[in-house]
Amino acid sequence: MEYLYLLPIVFMIHEFEEIIMLPTWLDKNKAMLYMRFPFMKDKVDSLSNAPVFALTVLEEFIIISACTVMSICMNDLTAWYCCLIAFGL
């Protein structure tokens, strides 16, 4: 059961990297993204706002942590496996 704690930890390591690197990457590639995906201009602009992206990550972290705690307390891995598959895809 100890491996259950790794999902929130690995998720946050991955998301910290995105929070740090995404604004710089978007600044370099924004014009190309607008050209290739003009219908997603609003989404690209909202991603460049780091606090909004960080709040999205926080919401996902809360869901993953709740599933992990619930799975450990109830000794039922169904919710944890659902989170693992959803975020793995």
Side-chain angles (χ1 to χ4, degrees):
M1 293 291 274
E2 298 84 30
Y3 63 90
L4 295 180
Y5 294 111
L6 290 176
L7 180 61
I9 293 168
V10 171
F11 173 78
M12 282 312 297
I13 291 171
H14 168 71
E15 293 300 327
F16 284 146
E17 177 265 329
E18 284 186 0
I19 290 170
I20 293 168
M21 299 304 291
L22 186 64
T24 306
W25 185 87
L26 279 175
D27 288 341
K28 289 181 190 176
N29 298 297
K30 196 176 278 190
M32 183 267 309
L33 289 171
Y34 289 160
M35 186 178 66
R36 288 184 67 188
F37 308 104
F39 57 92
M40 295 193 65
K41 186 175 186 210
D42 294 335
K43 299 248 188 234
V44 171
D45 288 338
S46 69
L47 280 176
S48 62
N49 188 354
V52 172
F53 184 69
L55 284 175
T56 304
V57 170
L58 174 65
E59 177 255 337
E60 292 175 358
F61 178 70
I62 290 171
I63 292 170
I64 288 176
S65 297
C67 285
T68 301
V69 169
M70 184 178 70
S71 294
I72 291 169
C73 291
M74 298 179 75
N75 202 20
D76 180 20
L77 299 179
T78 305
W80 188 85
Y81 280 127
C82 289
C83 281
L84 179 66
I85 291 170
F87 287 100
L89 292 176

